[in-house]
């Protein structure tokens, strides 16, 4: 029997009483220490363990006398035992609204803080670390009496603030701009609230986050974060330098045991010798404290550690902080291994579960960015412009909902009641701020140049509140001001691309002849229009919907007039102006042949009985892109064997192509020069899909506007219902290009859902490829020459009835070339053009204008006002893994000064300005924040 066998037998027989636990814990630690020292102490340990075994056989238990005798015999090991140090890090993992509502989150957070402060009074050695700005916000709002005491403990070095983010957020579905706002708002808020230096907030503590996107180190470092702590999503190194594609690093500690060590154990430090040896360190740390529902360390745990500090044959045990530990690692940074990859995956069901909160997140991020851009434009173009409400407050509501148990969908019903309520409040600010900014700009445009003489306004104010009830808050085309049959509208473009495309317009109280409607640009050139929806009633008003071709400069606006021609002047094109079936009323050509949607860019052919794509051709290359049964909806049943059904997608037990097994009913067909579309219905189980498939002029994106009435429920016996949209491709590939926070990543094919920010391309190197894009979905699967998009799931725990009722989503199938082409098409897809009513008046602004031009292979995430009001902040990132030269130039003015800043908007480097323009280089795959002054 080996020494280890004897020791394990003693553990079974004598792990009772304080002296047995003490001595056996010390021996465990010493055995590991000897192992780390290549067996240096094996001989003496074997002797003492045999002696102890004999004693226990004779006396039945380990007494104080035998414990002290063995410790005395092993006293020569004490110096090396104490040479290793363990920092005890006390924390309370507080899950935001996980299995409870916000009221309980507030209660447990306040109670936890009160307990920690009381323990600090009793135990002068005790230190405590707490993350998440939102928890401090709760204290400020609901228990401000605690703040002075917390500030005092911070000054004493006993209360450590480990918050770099508003919440411990999901790192796969939060956008790069959201992550930037987490860092910016947290530092600004906490430094002021707690009277601490922003520079001290350099640790991002994310113990429970379900995976980490590869650009994390780049975003974190730009926001002042040097150190990262996590537990999930990676299974190799524990101390390493996590390097982004840009080459930027953060120093990472991945928890080797578990972050929620709820009960202090005497034998919990056995890992220390081998761990320290592996990474060449002499100091490590041990987390403790009751978590998830808060609580933190207990008096019992503190007493436990105080007792262990007195044991001679254990490491040096100290109450400490994360900052102390990372400072010790920093000294040896260069010796730690480098990891260059995303730290994924875990809980693939979380990319789809609770679809409503995911839609709220994606559309919230997109609309907030647009509101910032509109606000920035107004701030430059309109003297003394004032923002109606603080957009920061709306942003923090979206950031709160990115908590790693809210956005991933692993909460209870109350979790999402609160989340969607907060989304409504955020979207209210978005809608008011965006509309106000656009209207203020409109009021300064000299529309008298259009030559419209009749100024009587017949329908001003029609349709108030129309389209704002949904959380998407598009407000994308709303024209009510009327001058006879003349309508003036100004169209805004919130993207970096000049856009010539068709947009949807809602026209109010227009009493003209629909067959005579026409439109003109500012130079009085006629532009195509197409009525797509007949007049409908809305309260005391009427409206109808048309498509109109517009061209709008990047980050700018353009002005148009909708009018009416006299019949004698108009050569009617029934394809253009059709509102019902699309056919010339003098003929009838309906048949059962293939349904074709075609323009100058692509040709899509559908089987009329199934509405599956039989062909999708890129006309630029002549290449057939679609494989068999593309564009179909599939009903899937998952096995529940893996349990945790909200978190995990189980093995497929059933996979049915609904377009083939269930009747497909064509509801409407519209043909026109601007847009062709087909609407069909598909019923399955107890649910219903209504999909409008459309192709607009000069667009390579085949759009699916889907209304899904979902009533599927899962259970342990039946399994988990799932709905998937699947697009097989015609070519062989094992590379799937995905949009991720702050960049694009190429992944190998895998029969598992992976996180994407709304876009996956099945790459065919050197040729055009198919990409599937979505305005509100995250769970994609690239495998077997197919892109799949998971639309909805019906898990039964912890919420037994998720996502019942109606859902709306946009899906696109498009031909793409390189990364820049993919990025531009996706950006256009998720950011609509906005139309606003205008009127006849004088003004200082021209009929069209753009604020900013950006050239180079970069993606602009947002324009915003500088936090201190000094200049415009531009956040962008390089799409390529090689340096890219960019140029920034202003539209109606010039750039006066420019500088690189970090996310906190602190100046890092002045950029030279020449002839009113900025030309500079963005390093490979790098993120940069630039401040310009005009």
């Amino acid at each position: 029997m080996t020494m280890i066998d004897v020791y394990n037998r003693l553990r079974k027989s004598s792990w009772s009483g304080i002296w047995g636990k003490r001595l056996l814990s010390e021996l465990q630690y010493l055995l590991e220490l000897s192992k780390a020292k290549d067996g240096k102490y094996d001989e003496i340990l074997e002797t003492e363990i045999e002696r102890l075994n004999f004693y226990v056989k004779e006396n039945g238990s380990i007494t104080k006398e035998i414990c002290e005798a063995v410790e005395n015999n092993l006293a020569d090991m004490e110096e090396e035992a104490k040479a290793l140090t363990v920092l005890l890090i006390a924390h309370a993992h507080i899950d935001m609204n996980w299995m409870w509502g916000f009221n309980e989150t507030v209660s447990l957070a306040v109670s936890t803080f009160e307990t920690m402060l009381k323990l600090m009074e009793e135990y002068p050695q005790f230190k405590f670390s707490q993350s998440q700005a939102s928890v401090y916000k709760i204290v400020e709002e609901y228990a401000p009496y605690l703040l002075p005491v917390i500030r005092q403990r911070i000054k004493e070095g006993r209360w450590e603030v480990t918050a770099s983010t508003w919440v411990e957020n999901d790192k796969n579905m939060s956008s790069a701009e959201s992550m930037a706002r987490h860092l910016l708002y947290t530092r600004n808020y906490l430094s002021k609230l707690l009277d601490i230096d922003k520079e001290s907030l350099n640790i991002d503590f994310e113990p429970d986050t379900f995976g980490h996107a590869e650009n994390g180190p780049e975003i974190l470092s730009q926001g002042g974060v040097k150190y990262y702590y996590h537990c999930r999503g990676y299974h190799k190194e524990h101390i390493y330098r996590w390097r982004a594609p840009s080459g930027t690093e953060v120093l990472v500690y991945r928890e080797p045991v578990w972050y929620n060590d709820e009960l202090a154990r005497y034998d919990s430090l056995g890992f220390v010798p081998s761990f320290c040896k592996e990474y060449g360190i002499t100091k490590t740390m041990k987390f403790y404290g009751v978590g998830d529902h808060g609580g933190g360390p207990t008096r019992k745990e503190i007493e436990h550690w105080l007792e262990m500090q007195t044991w001679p044959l254990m490491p040096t045990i100290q109450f400490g902080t994360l900052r102390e530990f990372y400072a010790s690692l920093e000294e040896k940074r260069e010796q730690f291994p480098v990891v260059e990859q995303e730290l994924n995956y875990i809980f693939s069901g979380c990319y789809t579960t609770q679809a409503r909160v995911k839609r709220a997140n994606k559309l919230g991020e997109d609309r907030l960015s647009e509101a910032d851009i509109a606000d920035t434009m107004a701030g430059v173009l309109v003297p003394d412009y004032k923002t109606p409400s603080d957009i920061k407050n709306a942003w923090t509501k979206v950031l709160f909902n990115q908590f790693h148990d809210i956005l991933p969908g692993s909460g209870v019903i109350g979790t999402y009641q609160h989340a969607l309520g907060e989304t409504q409040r955020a979207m209210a600010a978005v809608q008011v701020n965006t509309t106000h900014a656009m209207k203020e700009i409109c009021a300064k445009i000299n529309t008298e140049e259009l030559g419209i003489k009749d100024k009587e306004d017949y329908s001003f104010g029609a349709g108030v509140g129309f389209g704002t009830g949904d959380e998407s808050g598009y407000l994308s085309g709303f024209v009510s001001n009327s001058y006879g049959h003349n309508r003036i509208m100004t169209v805004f473009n919130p993207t970096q691309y000049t856009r010539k495309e068709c947009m949807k317009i809602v026209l109010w109280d227009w009493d003209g002849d629909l067959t005579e409607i026409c439109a003109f640009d500012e130079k009085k050139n006629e532009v195509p229009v197409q009525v797509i929806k007949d007049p409908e009633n809305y309260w005391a008003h009427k409206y109808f919907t048309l498509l109109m071709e517009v061209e709008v400069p990047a980050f700018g606006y353009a002005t148009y007039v909708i009018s009416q021609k006299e019949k004698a002047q108009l050569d009617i094109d029934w394809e253009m102006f059709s509102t019902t079936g699309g056919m010339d009323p003098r003929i009838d050509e309906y048949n059962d042949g293939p349904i074709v949607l075609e323009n100058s860019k692509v040709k899509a052919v559908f089987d009329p009985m199934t509405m599956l794509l039989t062909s999708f051709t890129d006309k630029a290359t002549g290449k057939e892109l679609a494989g068999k049964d593309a564009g179909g909806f599939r009903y899937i049943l998952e096995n529940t064997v893996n349990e945790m059904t909200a978190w995990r997608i189980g093995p497929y037990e059933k996979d049915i192509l609904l377009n083939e097994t269930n009747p497909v009913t064509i509801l409407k067909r519209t043909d026109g020069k601007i847009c062709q579309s087909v609407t069909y219905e598909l019923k399955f189980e107890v649910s219903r899909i209504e999909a409008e498939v459309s192709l607009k002029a000069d667009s390579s994106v085949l759009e699916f506007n889907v209304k899904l009435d979902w009533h599927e429920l899962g259970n342990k016996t039946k399994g988990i219902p799932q709905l998937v949209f699947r697009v097989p491709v015609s070519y062989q590939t094992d590379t799937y290009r995905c949009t991720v926070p702050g960049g694009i990543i190429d992944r190998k094919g895998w029969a598992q859902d992976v996180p994407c920010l709304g876009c996956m391309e099945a790459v065919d190197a050197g040729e055009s490829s198919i990409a599937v894009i979505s305005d509100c979905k995250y769970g994609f699967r690239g495998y077997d020459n197919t892109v799949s998009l998971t639309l909805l799931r019906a898990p039964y725990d912890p919420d037994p009835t998720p996502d019942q009722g109606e859902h709306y989503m946009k899906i696109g199938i498009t031909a793409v070339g390189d990364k820049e082409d993919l990025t531009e098409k996706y950006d256009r897809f998720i950011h609509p053009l906005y139309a606003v009513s205008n009127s006849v008046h004088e003004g200082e602004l021209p009929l069209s204008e753009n604020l900013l031009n950006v050239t180079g292979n970069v993606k602009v995430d947002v324009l915003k006002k500088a936090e201190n009001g000094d200049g415009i902040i531009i956040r962008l990132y390089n799409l390529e893994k090689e340096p890219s030269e960019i140029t920034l130039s202003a539209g109606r003015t010039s750039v006066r000064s420019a500088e690189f800043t970090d996310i906190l908007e602190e100046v890092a480097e002045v950029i030279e300005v020449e002839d009113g323009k900025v030309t500079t280089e963005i390093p490979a795959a790098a993120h940069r924040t630039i401040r310009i002054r005009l």
Side-chain angles (χ1 to χ4, degrees), residues 767-792:
E767 298 187 45
S768 60
S769 308
I770 270 188
V772 176
I773 56 183
S774 166
D775 68 337
C776 60
K777 300 297 175 185
Y778 296 94
F780 286 73
R781 182 175 298 204
Y783 180 69
D784 193 23
N785 307 312
T786 300
V787 176
S788 298
L789 175 59
T790 308
L791 305 180
L792 280 176

Side-chain angles (χ1 to χ4, degrees), residues 33 68 92-93 193 199 207 242 272 296 328 482 532 708 741 781 792 804:
L33 181 65
E68 291 176 345
H93 185 60
L193 179 75
E199 298 297 319
W242 185 23
V272 171
S328 70
S482 173
I532 59 170
L708 172 59
R781 182 175 298 204
L792 280 176
Q804 296 294 291

Side-chain angles (χ1 to χ4, degrees), residues 143 216 251 298 326 345 445 450 459 548 591 695 701 741 755 833 878:
L251 187 57
T298 63
Y326 280 114
Y345 304 97
I445 298 172
L450 295 168
S459 62
M548 177 174 164
N591 58 64
L695 182 64
V701 180
L833 297 172
N878 188 349

